[in-house]
Amino acid sequence: MIEIDWAEEAGRLRASAAGEADWNAAVAGSLVRDGDQVVADVGCGGGGMAKALAEALPAGTTVVAIDADPEVLEQARQHTAGLVRCELASMDDGAEPLRQAIGTPADLIWASASVHHAADQQAAVDALASLLAPGGRLALAEGGLPTRHLPWDLGLGEPGLELRLDLAQDKWFKVMRESLPGSVPMPYGWTEALSRAGLTDVTTRSVLTEAPAPLPAERLEGLVNQFRARIERLTGGGEGHGHGHGHGHVVAGDEEWLEPDDVAVWKQLLDPEGQYYLARRRDLAVLSVRSVHLGHAGR
């Protein structure tokens, strides 16, 4: 059984909103179009994309940031600093609360790493699609390729440490999905989900982000904190803060996601007082590919 405490996630999501500002701005600029009047970010997290959308659109456009957790929404409210309207609602409750939160059919709805937390993902996509104005677009940021940061051989433990971390997280994600009350499998891809929701001209665009080594000190510390949060999530230690649009503090029963030898290696890599502390390395980088799936409502 896995449970996520989103209040524990709020600070991490706010930091992610700030750290991903460039990515959000680039994607927002590619999604908005002339004539957009109402735009919504559903499952807004720290408000990074909501802010980017507001900045990409002309004055007078309505941008609504929606999240189901009050503390997360408060972080989004602070981050967006009055540029958007923040509303409390959950896609788990169907379309109507979201429709009331937005107030009028939307020209663009953005949902990043939020639909995969819905028990019935197809029902959630259907609900989001129903909120669109004629000709409106639904953009789902889900999936992509595992991000790479570490050299294959770190000189400590068995090579391939990051690959095994990704595998453990994938297993964790499977159990997380199964733990959701009323969980419904979705054994097909996101473009098919958009098509089944009645949307047309469905496409996927994957966006590559790269920051070569050596990373600036601040970026390096942020990356180490991300690894620390992932390890805490998988080992049950501390307050996990997860990815992606992520996963929060968890209760994971007696599952062991990582081998003990790898846990011991991570403990050394994440120890600021230890000789192997990751933040002192000059060979960490960022290579990320994230996918955005887009569908259009009929006119």
Side-chain angles (χ1 to χ4, degrees), residues 19 39-40 44 50 60 64 67 75 81 91 99 130 146 155 171 192-193 197 201 249 263-266 269-270 275 280:
V39 174
C44 66
V64 185
D67 204 273
Q75 292 296 326
M91 71 176 69
R99 184 173 289 109
S130 75
K171 293 177 179 178
E192 176 66 14
D201 299 325
H249 180 71
V263 174
V265 169
W266 281 111
L269 294 174
L270 298 172
Q275 70 179 103
R280 287 195 287 271

Side-chain angles (χ1 to χ4, degrees), residues 48 52 61 71 74-76 78 80-81 110 120 124 134-135 137 145 168 180 202-203 207 221 240 246 272 285 287:
T61 305
E71 294 190 39
E74 178 57 30
Q75 292 296 326
Q78 294 179 24
T80 54
W110 168 265
D120 188 335
R137 294 94 65 214
L145 299 176
L180 294 171
V202 176
T203 59
V207 183
E221 285 288 350
L287 181 62

Side-chain angles (χ1 to χ4, degrees), residues 25-218:
V27 174
S30 72
L31 288 174
V32 301
R33 65 186 184 191
D34 293 341
D36 284 344
Q37 295 296 315
V38 179
V39 174
D41 180 354
V42 180
C44 66
M49 182 55 79
K51 181 178 182 181
L53 289 167
E55 292 174 340
L57 289 161
T61 305
T62 297
V63 179
V64 185
I66 300 172
D67 204 273
D69 185 87
E71 294 190 39
V72 171
L73 192 66
E74 178 57 30
Q75 292 296 326
R77 183 176 288 108
Q78 294 179 24
H79 182 71
T80 54
L83 288 174
V84 311
R85 174 160 54 85
C86 295
E87 299 286 349
L88 188 68
S90 172
M91 71 176 69
D92 287 335
D93 298 327
E96 192 54 35
L98 300 174
R99 184 173 289 109
Q100 292 180 15
I102 298 170
T104 188
D107 299 300
L108 171 65
I109 292 178
W110 168 265
S112 174
S114 54
V115 175
H116 68 232
H117 290 290
D120 188 335
Q121 296 168 100
Q122 183 64 63
V125 175
D126 294 347
L128 293 174
S130 75
L131 305 173
L132 294 173
R137 294 94 65 214
L138 172 58
L140 304 179
E142 293 281 358
L145 299 176
T147 304
R148 288 286 169 263
H149 303 99
L150 305 181
W152 180 70
D153 188 349
L154 289 163
L156 182 69
E158 288 293 318
L161 183 70
E162 191 171 17
L163 299 175
R164 294 192 297 278
L165 177 60
D166 290 336
L167 179 59
Q169 186 163 309
D170 193 61
K171 293 177 179 178
W172 182 97
F173 184 83
K174 176 178 180 291
V175 175
M176 184 277 291
R177 286 283 320 152
E178 293 171 345
S179 297
L180 294 171
S183 179
V184 177
M186 193 181 81
Y188 45 84
W190 293 104
T191 52
E192 176 66 14
L194 290 169
S195 295
R196 292 190 184 197
L199 302 181
T200 60
D201 299 325
V202 176
T203 59
T204 296
R205 174 192 173 209
S206 294
V207 183
L208 184 146
T209 302
E210 184 172 16
L215 296 174
E218 183 177 353

